[in-house]
Amino acid sequence: FVCVQSCVLKATACFASTTAKMSENAEPRKPGVLDSDKDFPNFVGRMVHGAMLRDYSEEQLWQVIGSPRARRRLAILQKCRGKQGRLDATCFAKAACSAEYVALANCVRSSGAESCQQQVAALTGCVRDEWKAFLISSSPSLQHDALQRIEKFVEPPSPL
C-alpha cells in the first residue's frame, strides 16, 4: 500500500502544483505525470476556484441533494478541503475517480510514467466529468417547454 501511495503521489504532482501556482511564493516544481494533459492544470485551477460552496445559492445546493450521485459529489467536495477551506484536488481525484487513480498509480509503479498516457487520459477525463456533473446538477434546469414560455414574454430587438 505504501508503494502504491508513493507512486500515486508522484503521479499527481500536477494537482499539488496547481494549488502552489496560485500562491505568489510558489517554488518551481518538477514535471509530473499529469503534465501530458496540457490544459489540466488550468482546469484544476478553475475547479479549485469554483469549488467554494459559499458561492452557491441555497437553491443550487438543495437541487444537488435530490440525486444520490450528485449528493455523493457534494459530500466529496465537502470532505476534500485543505487548511484554508480550498478544494484539495488530489483528494477529489482519489474519492471521485478512485479506479482511474489506482490504475494510474499501478501503471507508474510497474511501467514508468512515460508509458501511462492512457491512464493519465482516463484520470483527467474522469476528474473533468465529475466536476462538470456537479456543476450541471447544481444548475437550475429549464423544463422542456420553458424556452417557449419565455419567448412569449421577450420581444426580439427591433432592427435599426
Side-chain angles (χ1 to χ4, degrees):
F1 177 75
V2 173
C3 180
V4 171
Q5 182 141 1
S6 69
C7 290
V8 170
L9 291 174
K10 290 176 189 174
T12 58
C14 177
F15 285 122
S17 71
T18 302
T19 305
K21 282 181 184 177
M22 294 177 188
S23 168
E24 292 179 14
N25 300 331
E27 296 177 17
R29 67 172 183 86
K30 297 176 188 173
V33 174
L34 300 178
D35 285 342
S36 62
D37 184 333
K38 299 296 182 202
D39 185 53
F40 194 63
N42 293 327
F43 176 82
V44 170
R46 291 188 309 269
M47 183 176 82
V48 168
H49 184 264
M52 299 303 282
L53 296 179
R54 69 174 182 261
D55 294 338
Y56 291 84
S57 71
E58 187 176 325
E59 175 189 12
Q60 288 175 295
L61 295 176
W62 275 107
Q63 191 161 335
V64 172
I65 293 173
S67 158
R69 292 185 73 189
R71 252 193 329 269
R72 179 181 158 272
R73 288 183 194 101
L74 181 59
I76 291 170
L77 286 171
Q78 289 173 320
K79 178 185 97 172
C80 293
R81 297 287 161 180
K83 294 176 185 174
Q84 298 172 343
R86 295 180 75 110
L87 178 67
D88 177 343
T90 302
C91 175
F92 181 84
K94 283 181 189 177
C97 304
S98 57
E100 292 84 353
Y101 192 88
V102 169
L104 177 58
N106 289 336
C107 180
V108 168
R109 185 183 72 225
S110 64
S111 306
E114 299 77 31
S115 61
C116 299
Q117 296 310 308
Q118 186 176 10
Q119 290 80 1
V120 168
L123 178 61
T124 59
C126 177
V127 169
R128 283 184 174 101
D129 291 345
E130 289 294 319
W131 177 246
K132 290 174 187 176
F134 168 75
L135 291 177
I136 289 170
S137 70
S138 66
S139 299
S141 60
L142 294 174
Q143 297 174 357
H144 69 286
D145 66 335
L147 186 57
Q148 294 171 347
R149 289 183 288 142
I150 291 170
E151 286 175 342
K152 289 180 183 178
F153 294 103
V154 178
E155 294 190 26
S158 61
L160 297 175

